[in-house]
Amino acid sequence: MRSLIIEYFGQIPKLSHSIQCDVRVWLLDVAYVPGVRFNLLSLDAVMLKFPMTLDAQGAHMLNWQLSFMRKDAGA
């Protein structure tokens, strides 16, 4: 186990695509750590502002057409 360095901390835009339209969402308090091969998202932080449901397919924001689909590990 080794320590990793945070190279960037701040906010970044994320563009999400859907059939109806593209939505740009700003992700706040993001830490970029080179060498980490996956993204971590705090659903607790998101759910403070946007109601969400969680199911076998992933996380879905209510009243929005935005979903975070589940992906198998390593895919």
Side-chain angles (χ1 to χ4, degrees):
M1 195 158 213
R2 64 184 173 97
S3 297
L4 298 174
I5 305 228
I6 296 174
E7 187 173 296
Y8 172 80
F9 188 82
Q11 59 186 2
I12 60 169
K14 177 179 182 336
L15 190 59
S16 297
H17 305 283
S18 71
I19 295 171
Q20 290 97 2
C21 66
D22 294 338
V23 177
R24 175 175 281 187
V25 177
W26 282 92
L27 301 177
L28 307 176
D29 300 330
V30 171
Y32 170 65
V33 180
V36 175
R37 296 182 2 188
F38 51 87
N39 297 316
L40 298 175
L41 174 69
S42 170
L43 290 178
D44 285 340
V46 174
M47 291 170 67
L48 290 173
K49 294 189 176 189
F50 303 102
M52 296 182 79
T53 60
L54 303 173
D55 60 23
Q57 283 78 39
H60 313 279
M61 287 185 182
L62 302 178
N63 299 321
W64 285 58
Q65 299 297 321
L66 183 61
S67 297
F68 298 96
M69 303 311 291
R70 185 183 177 108
K71 216 176 183 185
D72 290 332

